[in-house]
Amino acid sequence: EAQVTQNPRYLITVTGKKLTVTCSQNMNHEYMSWYRQDPGLGLRQIYYSMNVEVTDKGDVPEGYKVSRKEKRNFPLILESPSPNQTSLYFCASSFDLGDEQFFGPGTRLTVL
Amino acid sequence: AQSVTQLGSHVSVSEGALVLLRCNYSSSVPPYLFWYVQYPNQGLQLLLKYTSAATLVKGINGFEAEFKKSETSFHLTKPSAHMSDAAEYFCAVSDPSGGGADGLTFGKGTHLIIQP
């Protein structure tokens, strides 16, 4: 089944404790992206990647890192999480930059 | 740069009534346009997309949208609302030429409430 998977689905952590949210797709997509969703703000892009070893900042990159060592994986790293990073996070992928994106199920992160 | 405006953060309709969710976009090039739906506690699912073919696009679950270039609009409609349509709906725009690095730009979403 074609899908985007994210882990974990739910995470509660404390300020400053490094964490990684994994994302994997099995559709051989070139383009992958991370979004955060907050009430009243819709989806905002954090980082995106157009291919292996090619990543770039989206609209709200501060406090986040990503890597794209393999085509299928695009982990999101929070080196020192803060409470303002409490949010719902989505990973997405597509064949091309402006094409339909396929979304993962989301990761709900709470930073205390 | 591209942008999307969804009019109304919340829309309430009665079961069986017409659903109309409004979306206006701004784009410097002919865009691709999308509507996504998010059911509670789930990810986003594509409802329909416009990619410069027919201006009236039919999607899943009885939804359709019409691309109107003169109005820069892509409103989503469904003739008869069902309780299961209650969800968050997002309009999105992209630049298919790939000239910019914007990918998809999303509106802020419209929460559709269905009254019994």
Side-chain angles (χ1 to χ4, degrees), chain A residues 9 31 35 37 40-43 45 48 88 90 97-101 103-105, chain B residues 32 34 36 38 41-44 46 49 90 94 98 100-101 103-104 106 108:
Chain A
R9 294 288 312 279
Y31 182 86
Y35 297 88
Q37 183 181 15
L41 298 178
L43 279 84
Q45 190 179 57
Y48 64 93
L88 179 59
F90 288 102
L97 181 61
D99 207 355
E100 166 195 353
Q101 292 193 15
F103 283 80
Chain B
Y32 284 177
F34 307 82
Y36 284 85
Q38 183 182 28
N41 300 312
Q42 294 187 28
L44 277 73
L46 183 72
K49 64 180 179 182
F90 292 94
S94 75
L104 286 188
F106 285 86
K108 293 186 177 181

PDB file of all heavy atoms in Angstrom, chain A residues 9 31 35 37 40-43 45 48 88 90 97-101 103-105, chain B residues 32 34 36 38 41-44 46 49 90 94 98 100-101 103-104 106 108:
ATOM      1  N   ARG A   9       3.396   8.760  16.832  1.00  0.00           N
ATOM      2  CA  ARG A   9       2.159   9.483  16.572  1.00  0.00           C
ATOM      3  C   ARG A   9       1.881  10.508  17.671  1.00  0.00           C
ATOM      4  O   ARG A   9       1.284  11.550  17.415  1.00  0.00           O
ATOM      5  CB  ARG A   9       0.991   8.504  16.476  1.00  0.00           C
ATOM      6  CG  ARG A   9       1.045   7.553  15.298  1.00  0.00           C
ATOM      7  CD  ARG A   9       0.761   8.299  13.976  1.00  0.00           C
ATOM      8  NE  ARG A   9      -0.396   9.153  14.042  1.00  0.00           N
ATOM      9  CZ  ARG A   9      -1.645   8.748  13.921  1.00  0.00           C
ATOM     10  NH1 ARG A   9      -1.907   7.465  13.729  1.00  0.00           N
ATOM     11  NH2 ARG A   9      -2.637   9.607  13.986  1.00  0.00           N
ATOM     12  N   TYR A  31      10.126  14.602  -3.826  1.00  0.00           N
ATOM     13  CA  TYR A  31       9.892  15.763  -2.974  1.00  0.00           C
ATOM     14  C   TYR A  31       9.274  15.329  -1.650  1.00  0.00           C
ATOM     15  O   TYR A  31       8.312  14.570  -1.623  1.00  0.00           O
ATOM     16  CB  TYR A  31       8.949  16.723  -3.703  1.00  0.00           C
ATOM     17  CG  TYR A  31       8.641  18.007  -2.984  1.00  0.00           C
ATOM     18  CD1 TYR A  31       9.488  19.105  -3.101  1.00  0.00           C
ATOM     19  CD2 TYR A  31       7.498  18.139  -2.211  1.00  0.00           C
ATOM     20  CE1 TYR A  31       9.200  20.298  -2.450  1.00  0.00           C
ATOM     21  CE2 TYR A  31       7.202  19.324  -1.554  1.00  0.00           C
ATOM     22  CZ  TYR A  31       8.056  20.391  -1.685  1.00  0.00           C
ATOM     23  OH  TYR A  31       7.775  21.576  -1.049  1.00  0.00           O
ATOM     24  N   TYR A  35       5.384  19.949   7.715  1.00  0.00           N
ATOM     25  CA  TYR A  35       4.498  21.046   8.058  1.00  0.00           C
ATOM     26  C   TYR A  35       4.168  20.955   9.549  1.00  0.00           C
ATOM     27  O   TYR A  35       4.170  19.888  10.142  1.00  0.00           O
ATOM     28  CB  TYR A  35       3.171  20.955   7.303  1.00  0.00           C
ATOM     29  CG  TYR A  35       3.268  21.065   5.802  1.00  0.00           C
ATOM     30  CD1 TYR A  35       3.479  19.945   5.016  1.00  0.00           C
ATOM     31  CD2 TYR A  35       3.125  22.302   5.175  1.00  0.00           C
ATOM     32  CE1 TYR A  35       3.558  20.044   3.637  1.00  0.00           C
ATOM     33  CE2 TYR A  35       3.198  22.411   3.791  1.00  0.00           C
ATOM     34  CZ  TYR A  35       3.410  21.270   3.039  1.00  0.00           C
ATOM     35  OH  TYR A  35       3.479  21.375   1.671  1.00  0.00           O
ATOM     36  N   GLN A  37       0.878  22.228  12.031  1.00  0.00           N
ATOM     37  CA  GLN A  37      -0.497  22.728  11.976  1.00  0.00           C
ATOM     38  C   GLN A  37      -0.884  23.271  13.336  1.00  0.00           C
ATOM     39  O   GLN A  37      -0.830  22.556  14.341  1.00  0.00           O
ATOM     40  CB  GLN A  37      -1.471  21.623  11.565  1.00  0.00           C
ATOM     41  CG  GLN A  37      -2.900  22.101  11.429  1.00  0.00           C
ATOM     42  CD  GLN A  37      -3.867  20.997  11.048  1.00  0.00           C
ATOM     43  OE1 GLN A  37      -3.562  19.817  11.130  1.00  0.00           O
ATOM     44  NE2 GLN A  37      -5.048  21.372  10.606  1.00  0.00           N
ATOM     45  N   GLY A  40      -6.054  28.046  13.728  1.00  0.00           N
ATOM     46  CA  GLY A  40      -6.162  29.388  13.156  1.00  0.00           C
ATOM     47  C   GLY A  40      -5.043  29.768  12.208  1.00  0.00           C
ATOM     48  O   GLY A  40      -5.108  30.819  11.565  1.00  0.00           O
ATOM     49  N   LEU A  41      -4.014  28.936  12.111  1.00  0.00           N
ATOM     50  CA  LEU A  41      -2.867  29.262  11.250  1.00  0.00           C
ATOM     51  C   LEU A  41      -2.737  28.312  10.070  1.00  0.00           C
ATOM     52  O   LEU A  41      -1.897  28.514   9.195  1.00  0.00           O
ATOM     53  CB  LEU A  41      -1.575  29.237  12.067  1.00  0.00           C
ATOM     54  CG  LEU A  41      -1.488  30.247  13.203  1.00  0.00           C
ATOM     55  CD1 LEU A  41      -0.185  30.084  13.974  1.00  0.00           C
ATOM     56  CD2 LEU A  41      -1.603  31.674  12.672  1.00  0.00           C
ATOM     57  N   GLY A  42      -3.535  27.262  10.031  1.00  0.00           N
ATOM     58  CA  GLY A  42      -3.445  26.313   8.930  1.00  0.00           C
ATOM     59  C   GLY A  42      -2.153  25.532   8.974  1.00  0.00           C
ATOM     60  O   GLY A  42      -1.569  25.297  10.043  1.00  0.00           O
ATOM     61  N   LEU A  43      -1.679  25.135   7.806  1.00  0.00           N
ATOM     62  CA  LEU A  43      -0.412  24.390   7.698  1.00  0.00           C
ATOM     63  C   LEU A  43       0.693  25.332   7.266  1.00  0.00           C
ATOM     64  O   LEU A  43       0.546  26.061   6.286  1.00  0.00           O
ATOM     65  CB  LEU A  43      -0.532  23.265   6.672  1.00  0.00           C
ATOM     66  CG  LEU A  43      -1.204  21.998   7.157  1.00  0.00           C
ATOM     67  CD1 LEU A  43      -2.700  22.114   7.040  1.00  0.00           C
ATOM     68  CD2 LEU A  43      -0.714  20.805   6.342  1.00  0.00           C
ATOM     69  N   GLN A  45       4.832  25.409   6.285  1.00  0.00           N
ATOM     70  CA  GLN A  45       5.924  24.525   5.895  1.00  0.00           C
ATOM     71  C   GLN A  45       7.170  24.822   6.730  1.00  0.00           C
ATOM     72  O   GLN A  45       7.585  25.985   6.867  1.00  0.00           O
ATOM     73  CB  GLN A  45       6.230  24.704   4.412  1.00  0.00           C
ATOM     74  CG  GLN A  45       7.189  23.665   3.858  1.00  0.00           C
ATOM     75  CD  GLN A  45       7.435  23.858   2.390  1.00  0.00           C
ATOM     76  OE1 GLN A  45       7.874  24.920   1.953  1.00  0.00           O
ATOM     77  NE2 GLN A  45       7.151  22.829   1.601  1.00  0.00           N
ATOM     78  N   TYR A  48      11.695  21.498   3.423  1.00  0.00           N
ATOM     79  CA  TYR A  48      11.378  20.601   2.340  1.00  0.00           C
ATOM     80  C   TYR A  48      12.668  20.081   1.712  1.00  0.00           C
ATOM     81  O   TYR A  48      13.758  20.618   1.945  1.00  0.00           O
ATOM     82  CB  TYR A  48      10.494  21.276   1.281  1.00  0.00           C
ATOM     83  CG  TYR A  48      11.137  22.426   0.554  1.00  0.00           C
ATOM     84  CD1 TYR A  48      11.795  22.237  -0.650  1.00  0.00           C
ATOM     85  CD2 TYR A  48      11.063  23.715   1.076  1.00  0.00           C
ATOM     86  CE1 TYR A  48      12.371  23.292  -1.317  1.00  0.00           C
ATOM     87  CE2 TYR A  48      11.647  24.777   0.414  1.00  0.00           C
ATOM     88  CZ  TYR A  48      12.292  24.571  -0.784  1.00  0.00           C
ATOM     89  OH  TYR A  48      12.868  25.617  -1.438  1.00  0.00           O
ATOM     90  N   LEU A  88       0.924  20.023  15.960  1.00  0.00           N
ATOM     91  CA  LEU A  88       0.656  18.806  15.193  1.00  0.00           C
ATOM     92  C   LEU A  88       1.518  18.865  13.935  1.00  0.00           C
ATOM     93  O   LEU A  88       1.443  19.839  13.185  1.00  0.00           O
ATOM     94  CB  LEU A  88      -0.829  18.739  14.843  1.00  0.00           C
ATOM     95  CG  LEU A  88      -1.308  17.538  14.023  1.00  0.00           C
ATOM     96  CD1 LEU A  88      -1.004  16.234  14.734  1.00  0.00           C
ATOM     97  CD2 LEU A  88      -2.817  17.670  13.766  1.00  0.00           C
ATOM     98  N   PHE A  90       3.026  17.244  10.328  1.00  0.00           N
ATOM     99  CA  PHE A  90       2.740  16.359   9.204  1.00  0.00           C
ATOM    100  C   PHE A  90       3.930  16.302   8.261  1.00  0.00           C
ATOM    101  O   PHE A  90       4.520  17.317   7.910  1.00  0.00           O
ATOM    102  CB  PHE A  90       1.526  16.853   8.404  1.00  0.00           C
ATOM    103  CG  PHE A  90       0.228  16.662   9.112  1.00  0.00           C
ATOM    104  CD1 PHE A  90      -0.394  17.728   9.740  1.00  0.00           C
ATOM    105  CD2 PHE A  90      -0.378  15.420   9.143  1.00  0.00           C
ATOM    106  CE1 PHE A  90      -1.603  17.555  10.398  1.00  0.00           C
ATOM    107  CE2 PHE A  90      -1.586  15.236   9.793  1.00  0.00           C
ATOM    108  CZ  PHE A  90      -2.191  16.303  10.425  1.00  0.00           C
ATOM    109  N   LEU A  97       7.584  18.997  -7.360  1.00  0.00           N
ATOM    110  CA  LEU A  97       7.454  20.131  -6.449  1.00  0.00           C
ATOM    111  C   LEU A  97       6.027  20.647  -6.353  1.00  0.00           C
ATOM    112  O   LEU A  97       5.529  20.887  -5.274  1.00  0.00           O
ATOM    113  CB  LEU A  97       8.385  21.242  -6.925  1.00  0.00           C
ATOM    114  CG  LEU A  97       8.408  22.517  -6.088  1.00  0.00           C
ATOM    115  CD1 LEU A  97       8.870  22.221  -4.671  1.00  0.00           C
ATOM    116  CD2 LEU A  97       9.334  23.537  -6.725  1.00  0.00           C
ATOM    117  N   GLY A  98       5.348  20.836  -7.466  1.00  0.00           N
ATOM    118  CA  GLY A  98       4.021  21.429  -7.419  1.00  0.00           C
ATOM    119  C   GLY A  98       2.884  20.449  -7.522  1.00  0.00           C
ATOM    120  O   GLY A  98       1.742  20.840  -7.752  1.00  0.00           O
ATOM    121  N   ASP A  99       3.168  19.195  -7.319  1.00  0.00           N
ATOM    122  CA  ASP A  99       2.189  18.134  -7.527  1.00  0.00           C
ATOM    123  C   ASP A  99       1.411  17.851  -6.245  1.00  0.00           C
ATOM    124  O   ASP A  99       1.741  18.347  -5.167  1.00  0.00           O
ATOM    125  CB  ASP A  99       2.913  16.868  -7.980  1.00  0.00           C
ATOM    126  CG  ASP A  99       2.025  15.967  -8.813  1.00  0.00           C
ATOM    127  OD1 ASP A  99       0.826  16.276  -8.948  1.00  0.00           O
ATOM    128  OD2 ASP A  99       2.536  14.954  -9.322  1.00  0.00           O
ATOM    129  N   GLU A 100       0.394  17.042  -6.387  1.00  0.00           N
ATOM    130  CA  GLU A 100      -0.388  16.575  -5.242  1.00  0.00           C
ATOM    131  C   GLU A 100       0.540  15.965  -4.198  1.00  0.00           C
ATOM    132  O   GLU A 100       1.431  15.183  -4.520  1.00  0.00           O
ATOM    133  CB  GLU A 100      -1.373  15.515  -5.713  1.00  0.00           C
ATOM    134  CG  GLU A 100      -2.005  14.704  -4.618  1.00  0.00           C
ATOM    135  CD  GLU A 100      -2.665  13.454  -5.149  1.00  0.00           C
ATOM    136  OE1 GLU A 100      -2.741  13.279  -6.374  1.00  0.00           O
ATOM    137  OE2 GLU A 100      -3.090  12.631  -4.320  1.00  0.00           O
ATOM    138  N   GLN A 101       0.324  16.328  -2.930  1.00  0.00           N
ATOM    139  CA  GLN A 101       1.143  15.779  -1.851  1.00  0.00           C
ATOM    140  C   GLN A 101       0.352  14.727  -1.084  1.00  0.00           C
ATOM    141  O   GLN A 101      -0.850  14.877  -0.852  1.00  0.00           O
ATOM    142  CB  GLN A 101       1.622  16.880  -0.918  1.00  0.00           C
ATOM    143  CG  GLN A 101       2.629  17.804  -1.598  1.00  0.00           C
ATOM    144  CD  GLN A 101       3.352  18.711  -0.629  1.00  0.00           C
ATOM    145  OE1 GLN A 101       3.342  18.509   0.575  1.00  0.00           O
ATOM    146  NE2 GLN A 101       4.002  19.732  -1.163  1.00  0.00           N
ATOM    147  N   PHE A 103       0.044  12.808   2.485  1.00  0.00           N
ATOM    148  CA  PHE A 103       0.360  13.164   3.859  1.00  0.00           C
ATOM    149  C   PHE A 103       0.425  11.941   4.770  1.00  0.00           C
ATOM    150  O   PHE A 103      -0.321  10.970   4.607  1.00  0.00           O
ATOM    151  CB  PHE A 103      -0.694  14.117   4.413  1.00  0.00           C
ATOM    152  CG  PHE A 103      -0.517  15.522   3.919  1.00  0.00           C
ATOM    153  CD1 PHE A 103      -0.971  15.893   2.665  1.00  0.00           C
ATOM    154  CD2 PHE A 103       0.109  16.468   4.708  1.00  0.00           C
ATOM    155  CE1 PHE A 103      -0.797  17.187   2.203  1.00  0.00           C
ATOM    156  CE2 PHE A 103       0.292  17.760   4.254  1.00  0.00           C
ATOM    157  CZ  PHE A 103      -0.161  18.129   3.000  1.00  0.00           C
ATOM    158  N   GLY A 104       1.310  12.025   5.742  1.00  0.00           N
ATOM    159  CA  GLY A 104       1.332  11.058   6.820  1.00  0.00           C
ATOM    160  C   GLY A 104       0.202  11.318   7.804  1.00  0.00           C
ATOM    161  O   GLY A 104      -0.513  12.316   7.689  1.00  0.00           O
ATOM    162  N   PRO A 105       0.044  10.453   8.815  1.00  0.00           N
ATOM    163  CA  PRO A 105      -1.078  10.565   9.749  1.00  0.00           C
ATOM    164  C   PRO A 105      -0.899  11.650  10.804  1.00  0.00           C
ATOM    165  O   PRO A 105      -1.849  11.977  11.511  1.00  0.00           O
ATOM    166  CB  PRO A 105      -1.107   9.195  10.412  1.00  0.00           C
ATOM    167  CG  PRO A 105       0.309   8.725  10.348  1.00  0.00           C
ATOM    168  CD  PRO A 105       0.855   9.259   9.050  1.00  0.00           C
TER     169      PRO A 105
ATOM    170  N   TYR B  32      -1.703  25.201 -10.258  1.00  0.00           N
ATOM    171  CA  TYR B  32      -2.443  24.002  -9.923  1.00  0.00           C
ATOM    172  C   TYR B  32      -3.183  24.317  -8.616  1.00  0.00           C
ATOM    173  O   TYR B  32      -2.645  25.018  -7.750  1.00  0.00           O
ATOM    174  CB  TYR B  32      -1.518  22.809  -9.689  1.00  0.00           C
ATOM    175  CG  TYR B  32      -0.947  22.185 -10.930  1.00  0.00           C
ATOM    176  CD1 TYR B  32      -0.056  21.130 -10.845  1.00  0.00           C
ATOM    177  CD2 TYR B  32      -1.293  22.624 -12.197  1.00  0.00           C
ATOM    178  CE1 TYR B  32       0.496  20.536 -11.981  1.00  0.00           C
ATOM    179  CE2 TYR B  32      -0.753  22.041 -13.340  1.00  0.00           C
ATOM    180  CZ  TYR B  32       0.135  21.008 -13.221  1.00  0.00           C
ATOM    181  OH  TYR B  32       0.671  20.426 -14.335  1.00  0.00           O
ATOM    182  N   PHE B  34      -5.799  22.731  -5.382  1.00  0.00           N
ATOM    183  CA  PHE B  34      -6.167  21.507  -4.687  1.00  0.00           C
ATOM    184  C   PHE B  34      -7.141  21.821  -3.555  1.00  0.00           C
ATOM    185  O   PHE B  34      -7.092  22.899  -2.971  1.00  0.00           O
ATOM    186  CB  PHE B  34      -4.923  20.850  -4.044  1.00  0.00           C
ATOM    187  CG  PHE B  34      -3.781  20.624  -4.985  1.00  0.00           C
ATOM    188  CD1 PHE B  34      -2.892  21.642  -5.292  1.00  0.00           C
ATOM    189  CD2 PHE B  34      -3.581  19.380  -5.554  1.00  0.00           C
ATOM    190  CE1 PHE B  34      -1.827  21.431  -6.157  1.00  0.00           C
ATOM    191  CE2 PHE B  34      -2.514  19.155  -6.423  1.00  0.00           C
ATOM    192  CZ  PHE B  34      -1.640  20.193  -6.721  1.00  0.00           C
ATOM    193  N   TYR B  36      -8.083  19.747   0.015  1.00  0.00           N
ATOM    194  CA  TYR B  36      -7.816  18.614   0.891  1.00  0.00           C
ATOM    195  C   TYR B  36      -8.853  18.615   2.018  1.00  0.00           C
ATOM    196  O   TYR B  36      -9.346  19.674   2.429  1.00  0.00           O
ATOM    197  CB  TYR B  36      -6.432  18.737   1.531  1.00  0.00           C
ATOM    198  CG  TYR B  36      -5.274  18.400   0.623  1.00  0.00           C
ATOM    199  CD1 TYR B  36      -4.736  19.357  -0.229  1.00  0.00           C
ATOM    200  CD2 TYR B  36      -4.716  17.121   0.631  1.00  0.00           C
ATOM    201  CE1 TYR B  36      -3.668  19.041  -1.057  1.00  0.00           C
ATOM    202  CE2 TYR B  36      -3.641  16.808  -0.187  1.00  0.00           C
ATOM    203  CZ  TYR B  36      -3.121  17.770  -1.017  1.00  0.00           C
ATOM    204  OH  TYR B  36      -2.063  17.462  -1.824  1.00  0.00           O
ATOM    205  N   GLN B  38      -9.528  17.093   6.050  1.00  0.00           N
ATOM    206  CA  GLN B  38      -8.924  16.491   7.243  1.00  0.00           C
ATOM    207  C   GLN B  38     -10.024  16.114   8.209  1.00  0.00           C
ATOM    208  O   GLN B  38     -10.656  16.989   8.805  1.00  0.00           O
ATOM    209  CB  GLN B  38      -7.950  17.464   7.891  1.00  0.00           C
ATOM    210  CG  GLN B  38      -7.221  16.882   9.090  1.00  0.00           C
ATOM    211  CD  GLN B  38      -6.296  17.884   9.755  1.00  0.00           C
ATOM    212  OE1 GLN B  38      -6.518  19.090   9.712  1.00  0.00           O
ATOM    213  NE2 GLN B  38      -5.240  17.396  10.371  1.00  0.00           N
ATOM    214  N   ASN B  41      -8.582  13.869  13.929  1.00  0.00           N
ATOM    215  CA  ASN B  41      -7.484  12.985  14.316  1.00  0.00           C
ATOM    216  C   ASN B  41      -6.888  12.205  13.143  1.00  0.00           C
ATOM    217  O   ASN B  41      -6.345  11.110  13.337  1.00  0.00           O
ATOM    218  CB  ASN B  41      -7.936  12.006  15.407  1.00  0.00           C
ATOM    219  CG  ASN B  41      -8.396  12.720  16.649  1.00  0.00           C
ATOM    220  OD1 ASN B  41      -7.721  13.618  17.135  1.00  0.00           O
ATOM    221  ND2 ASN B  41      -9.570  12.352  17.148  1.00  0.00           N
ATOM    222  N   GLN B  42      -6.978  12.786  11.962  1.00  0.00           N
ATOM    223  CA  GLN B  42      -6.397  12.131  10.800  1.00  0.00           C
ATOM    224  C   GLN B  42      -5.531  13.101  10.007  1.00  0.00           C
ATOM    225  O   GLN B  42      -5.550  14.306  10.257  1.00  0.00           O
ATOM    226  CB  GLN B  42      -7.496  11.569   9.892  1.00  0.00           C
ATOM    227  CG  GLN B  42      -8.300  10.444  10.523  1.00  0.00           C
ATOM    228  CD  GLN B  42      -9.251   9.814   9.527  1.00  0.00           C
ATOM    229  OE1 GLN B  42      -9.021   9.811   8.317  1.00  0.00           O
ATOM    230  NE2 GLN B  42     -10.335   9.250  10.041  1.00  0.00           N
ATOM    231  N   GLY B  43      -4.791  12.568   9.044  1.00  0.00           N
ATOM    232  CA  GLY B  43      -4.000  13.401   8.154  1.00  0.00           C
ATOM    233  C   GLY B  43      -4.863  14.000   7.052  1.00  0.00           C
ATOM    234  O   GLY B  43      -6.076  13.846   7.041  1.00  0.00           O
ATOM    235  N   LEU B  44      -4.226  14.703   6.141  1.00  0.00           N
ATOM    236  CA  LEU B  44      -4.943  15.336   5.037  1.00  0.00           C
ATOM    237  C   LEU B  44      -5.106  14.361   3.881  1.00  0.00           C
ATOM    238  O   LEU B  44      -4.183  13.623   3.535  1.00  0.00           O
ATOM    239  CB  LEU B  44      -4.185  16.575   4.547  1.00  0.00           C
ATOM    240  CG  LEU B  44      -4.425  17.852   5.329  1.00  0.00           C
ATOM    241  CD1 LEU B  44      -3.739  17.799   6.682  1.00  0.00           C
ATOM    242  CD2 LEU B  44      -3.951  19.058   4.525  1.00  0.00           C
ATOM    243  N   LEU B  46      -6.552  14.089  -0.216  1.00  0.00           N
ATOM    244  CA  LEU B  46      -6.905  14.877  -1.386  1.00  0.00           C
ATOM    245  C   LEU B  46      -8.364  14.655  -1.767  1.00  0.00           C
ATOM    246  O   LEU B  46      -8.809  13.512  -1.925  1.00  0.00           O
ATOM    247  CB  LEU B  46      -6.006  14.501  -2.566  1.00  0.00           C
ATOM    248  CG  LEU B  46      -6.237  15.308  -3.828  1.00  0.00           C
ATOM    249  CD1 LEU B  46      -5.705  16.744  -3.644  1.00  0.00           C
ATOM    250  CD2 LEU B  46      -5.539  14.667  -5.027  1.00  0.00           C
ATOM    251  N   LYS B  49      -8.336  18.006  -7.561  1.00  0.00           N
ATOM    252  CA  LYS B  49      -7.275  18.909  -7.989  1.00  0.00           C
ATOM    253  C   LYS B  49      -7.560  19.422  -9.397  1.00  0.00           C
ATOM    254  O   LYS B  49      -8.176  18.735 -10.218  1.00  0.00           O
ATOM    255  CB  LYS B  49      -5.913  18.226  -7.947  1.00  0.00           C
ATOM    256  CG  LYS B  49      -5.752  17.045  -8.901  1.00  0.00           C
ATOM    257  CD  LYS B  49      -4.353  16.453  -8.749  1.00  0.00           C
ATOM    258  CE  LYS B  49      -4.171  15.242  -9.667  1.00  0.00           C
ATOM    259  NZ  LYS B  49      -2.827  14.630  -9.498  1.00  0.00           N
ATOM    260  N   PHE B  90      -9.074  22.302   3.421  1.00  0.00           N
ATOM    261  CA  PHE B  90      -7.978  23.191   3.073  1.00  0.00           C
ATOM    262  C   PHE B  90      -7.877  23.336   1.557  1.00  0.00           C
ATOM    263  O   PHE B  90      -7.870  22.339   0.833  1.00  0.00           O
ATOM    264  CB  PHE B  90      -6.642  22.641   3.589  1.00  0.00           C
ATOM    265  CG  PHE B  90      -6.518  22.635   5.081  1.00  0.00           C
ATOM    266  CD1 PHE B  90      -6.848  21.510   5.818  1.00  0.00           C
ATOM    267  CD2 PHE B  90      -6.069  23.761   5.755  1.00  0.00           C
ATOM    268  CE1 PHE B  90      -6.735  21.497   7.195  1.00  0.00           C
ATOM    269  CE2 PHE B  90      -5.947  23.760   7.135  1.00  0.00           C
ATOM    270  CZ  PHE B  90      -6.288  22.630   7.858  1.00  0.00           C
ATOM    271  N   SER B  94      -0.305  25.697  -6.107  1.00  0.00           N
ATOM    272  CA  SER B  94       1.105  25.463  -6.403  1.00  0.00           C
ATOM    273  C   SER B  94       1.446  26.040  -7.762  1.00  0.00           C
ATOM    274  O   SER B  94       0.571  26.303  -8.587  1.00  0.00           O
ATOM    275  CB  SER B  94       1.443  23.973  -6.376  1.00  0.00           C
ATOM    276  OG  SER B  94       0.944  23.331  -7.540  1.00  0.00           O
ATOM    277  N   GLY B  98       7.468  24.927 -11.464  1.00  0.00           N
ATOM    278  CA  GLY B  98       8.617  24.633 -10.609  1.00  0.00           C
ATOM    279  C   GLY B  98       9.598  25.767 -10.523  1.00  0.00           C
ATOM    280  O   GLY B  98      10.677  25.634  -9.978  1.00  0.00           O
ATOM    281  N   GLY B 100       9.386  28.494  -8.784  1.00  0.00           N
ATOM    282  CA  GLY B 100       9.626  28.885  -7.403  1.00  0.00           C
ATOM    283  C   GLY B 100       9.812  27.654  -6.559  1.00  0.00           C
ATOM    284  O   GLY B 100       9.573  26.545  -7.009  1.00  0.00           O
ATOM    285  N   ALA B 101      10.237  27.835  -5.338  1.00  0.00           N
ATOM    286  CA  ALA B 101      10.439  26.669  -4.474  1.00  0.00           C
ATOM    287  C   ALA B 101       9.353  26.597  -3.422  1.00  0.00           C
ATOM    288  O   ALA B 101       9.574  26.111  -2.333  1.00  0.00           O
ATOM    289  CB  ALA B 101      11.811  26.763  -3.815  1.00  0.00           C
ATOM    290  N   GLY B 103       6.405  24.936  -3.448  1.00  0.00           N
ATOM    291  CA  GLY B 103       5.634  23.725  -3.258  1.00  0.00           C
ATOM    292  C   GLY B 103       4.162  24.084  -3.177  1.00  0.00           C
ATOM    293  O   GLY B 103       3.659  24.884  -3.944  1.00  0.00           O
ATOM    294  N   LEU B 104       3.468  23.491  -2.213  1.00  0.00           N
ATOM    295  CA  LEU B 104       2.060  23.818  -1.988  1.00  0.00           C
ATOM    296  C   LEU B 104       1.954  24.923  -0.943  1.00  0.00           C
ATOM    297  O   LEU B 104       2.604  24.853   0.096  1.00  0.00           O
ATOM    298  CB  LEU B 104       1.298  22.592  -1.483  1.00  0.00           C
ATOM    299  CG  LEU B 104       0.973  21.479  -2.466  1.00  0.00           C
ATOM    300  CD1 LEU B 104       0.057  20.463  -1.799  1.00  0.00           C
ATOM    301  CD2 LEU B 104       0.312  22.027  -3.709  1.00  0.00           C
ATOM    302  N   PHE B 106      -0.888  26.563   1.469  1.00  0.00           N
ATOM    303  CA  PHE B 106      -2.218  26.233   1.988  1.00  0.00           C
ATOM    304  C   PHE B 106      -2.938  27.455   2.521  1.00  0.00           C
ATOM    305  O   PHE B 106      -2.318  28.375   3.063  1.00  0.00           O
ATOM    306  CB  PHE B 106      -2.097  25.214   3.119  1.00  0.00           C
ATOM    307  CG  PHE B 106      -1.791  23.824   2.654  1.00  0.00           C
ATOM    308  CD1 PHE B 106      -0.483  23.424   2.439  1.00  0.00           C
ATOM    309  CD2 PHE B 106      -2.806  22.913   2.435  1.00  0.00           C
ATOM    310  CE1 PHE B 106      -0.188  22.146   2.007  1.00  0.00           C
ATOM    311  CE2 PHE B 106      -2.529  21.624   2.003  1.00  0.00           C
ATOM    312  CZ  PHE B 106      -1.218  21.234   1.787  1.00  0.00           C
ATOM    313  N   LYS B 108      -5.823  28.786   5.417  1.00  0.00           N
ATOM    314  CA  LYS B 108      -5.860  28.519   6.848  1.00  0.00           C
ATOM    315  C   LYS B 108      -6.926  27.507   7.240  1.00  0.00           C
ATOM    316  O   LYS B 108      -7.014  27.120   8.403  1.00  0.00           O
ATOM    317  CB  LYS B 108      -6.050  29.825   7.610  1.00  0.00           C
ATOM    318  CG  LYS B 108      -4.842  30.737   7.474  1.00  0.00           C
ATOM    319  CD  LYS B 108      -4.950  31.977   8.339  1.00  0.00           C
ATOM    320  CE  LYS B 108      -3.675  32.797   8.198  1.00  0.00           C
ATOM    321  NZ  LYS B 108      -3.712  34.011   9.039  1.00  0.00           N
TER     322      LYS B 108
END
